[in-house]
Amino acid sequence: MSRFQGRVCIVSGGGSGLGRATALRLAAEGGSVAVLDLALESAQRVAREVEAAGGRAHPYQVDVADPASVRAAVDAAARDLGRPQVLVSCAGTGCFANSHEMPFEDWKRIIDVNLTGTFLVAQAVLPHLLDGGGSIVTVASNAGLMGIAYSAAYCASKGGVVNLTRALSDEYVKRGVRVNCVAPGGMATPFQNAFRNMPQGADLSSLGKIRSPLGMAEPEEVAALIAFVASDEGRYMTGAIVSIDGGITT
Ligand SMILES: NC(=O)c1ccc[n+]([C@@H]2O[C@H](COP(=O)([O-])OP(=O)(O)OC[C@H]3O[C@@H](n4cnc5c(N)ncnc54)[C@H](O)[C@@H]3O)[C@@H](O)[C@H]2O)c1
């Protein structure tokens, strides 16, 4: 397939996990991919992987929670690769915590990266998308659609991404920009390490509902869905929240 031939695609959090798989997928289908990540070395590694596979990619360092950093990275990508037509927002962070003990800095970092960061990258890319059309795919989580103990900040941030997506979709639907959200369940990525530490006194049985009988998804499976939604095959989709979570939010 070559659904992204001639298209410039920006992938935030492209240095690892789902962002890496998405960057590789979009590039394999002909896209020129800007790989944005806080960890420049990871972005560089993924860009090299894309090029080794015969694709085109450039790495950029970005902190999605910092408006100036986001603007600089998006401007540089547009200068180097051309007008962005696709944005996939994969950058994310999280951890388990007892809400009554959670340090303010942890709450703030999770909201800043997951929710504010998704908005800031969309805000910086939108002028390009409005100049001829395009598509945004945000990444939420089953955690944006259900309550999960010890995950107040993460659930709040991803619930915010869900409704941010709907609001942006409504605002831009008549102006050639589709905005959709993919909501994965557990994926086998380094992200899982951040959730290994349980808070003191945690009742593990309350977390049974976030385990699917189907186990974890591979990031490539979720990237395939993102590619469909972002491509012209998803033409009639906007404002959609698409779960890919092994049935845990049924
Ligand atoms: N892995 C899962 O089980 C799972 C489940 C549901 C949703 N998600 C969501 O999927 C998305 C991708 O997660 P993943 O599993 O690939 O995780 P990951 O940890 O493998 O990758 C996340 C990437 O985001 C980058 N990042 C973090 N903070 C950033 C910042 N401030 N600015 C720019 N980049 C930043 C990291 O450096 C990393 O490369 C996240 O939004 C996550 O919340 C993950």
Side-chain angles (χ1 to χ4, degrees):
M1 279 189 282
S2 53
R3 295 176 293 188
F4 298 97
Q5 197 67 46
R7 296 192 184 182
V8 174
C9 309
I10 294 188
V11 180
S12 83
S16 175
L18 179 61
R20 170 185 169 274
T22 301
L24 285 163
R25 177 70 190 237
L26 300 182
E29 292 201 35
S32 296
V33 181
V35 183
L36 274 56
D37 207 287
L38 188 60
L40 178 60
E41 279 181 18
S42 304
Q44 288 168 331
R45 194 173 53 243
V46 171
R48 282 197 300 272
E49 276 187 85
V50 166
E51 296 200 329
R56 183 171 185 227
H58 278 216
Y60 302 90
Q61 204 272 335
V62 73
D63 178 355
V64 295
D66 173 359
S69 167
V70 169
R71 221 159 268 281
V74 170
D75 285 353
R79 208 170 41 241
D80 295 343
L81 298 172
R83 180 181 83 84
Q85 283 171 266
V86 172
L87 165 64
V88 184
S89 279
C90 293
T93 190
C95 63
F96 284 133
N98 284 316
S99 292
H100 61 284
E101 293 170 337
M102 185 176 202
F104 173 69
E105 294 69 34
D106 289 355
W107 165 273
K108 185 167 160 33
R109 180 177 50 84
I110 292 169
I111 299 292
D112 284 355
V113 173
N114 296 359
L115 177 54
T116 308
T118 301
F119 174 72
L120 290 176
V121 181
Q123 188 182 46
V125 177
L126 266 163
H128 299 288
L129 304 182
L130 287 167
D131 183 22
S135 167
I136 296 176
V137 181
T138 63
V139 175
S141 164
N142 59 289
L145 301 169
M146 66 197 286
I148 303 173
Y150 319 117
S151 309
Y154 190 67
C155 286
S157 71
K158 293 299 188 177
V161 168
V162 165
N163 234 21
L164 169 65
T165 305
R166 293 187 179 120
L168 292 177
S169 168
D170 244 37
E171 189 168 341
Y172 295 105
V173 63
K174 293 182 189 159
R175 300 180 66 187
V177 180
R178 297 184 299 107
V179 190
N180 292 287
C181 175
V182 165
M187 280 183 293
T189 73
F191 192 78
Q192 291 289 329
N193 297 332
F195 288 90
R196 293 224 192 285
N197 293 335
M198 295 307 300
Q200 203 170 15
D203 169 12
L204 292 185
S205 69
S206 65
L207 295 175
K209 66 181 185 179
I210 61 171
R211 285 190 200 93
S212 164
L214 303 182
M216 295 231 187
E218 293 302 324
E220 289 75 15
E221 297 175 282
V222 180
L225 173 61
I226 289 174
F228 175 85
V229 173
S231 78
D232 290 347
E233 285 193 285
R235 183 196 73 84
Y236 202 59
M237 297 178 74
T238 191
I241 313 302
V242 188
S243 288
I244 174 163
D245 65 9
I248 58 183
T249 52
T250 53

